[in-house]
Amino acid sequence: MAKKHFFDKPENVWRFIRGFFAVCILLIGVDIFVTIHGEFRWEESVGFYAAFGFVACVSLVLIAKYVLRPLVKRREDYYD
């Protein structure tokens, strides 16, 4: 019989997700009280680095899917 792991139970997954979002909200909340000395004005806005990281991640995934994948994709019977 296979050993049960922590993420096998749905309630543990939900606890992890809630904890993850709580930490994210906490970090953005702390960002309000921390003085940021950015090179540009928009770097000093609250949550800028969180939004920038999210947009960069989504952009990388979309570029990989719609630009790079067609360049390296082979036919299904390529190795036959």
Side-chain angles (χ1 to χ4, degrees):
M1 185 171 185
K3 181 182 174 186
K4 288 277 189 176
H5 294 284
F6 180 76
F7 290 115
D8 286 339
K9 294 182 179 179
E11 61 268 10
N12 289 341
V13 173
W14 282 111
R15 285 180 190 152
F16 179 78
I17 290 172
R18 281 192 297 245
F20 175 74
F21 282 114
V23 168
C24 287
I25 291 169
L26 178 71
L27 289 174
I28 290 175
V30 168
D31 194 22
I32 294 170
F33 301 107
V34 175
T35 305
I36 300 171
H37 302 287
E39 196 71 30
F40 302 102
R41 180 178 292 270
W42 57 81
E43 287 180 278
E44 297 174 1
S45 64
V46 175
F48 169 75
Y49 289 107
F52 180 77
F54 178 76
V55 170
C57 180
V58 170
S59 299
L60 285 172
V61 169
L62 293 177
I63 289 169
K65 184 174 183 178
Y66 295 112
V67 177
L68 298 177
R69 184 173 184 227
L71 292 175
V72 299
K73 186 177 175 184
R74 300 284 184 219
R75 294 185 325 271
E76 229 177 278
D77 60 346
Y78 180 76
Y79 291 106
D80 291 337

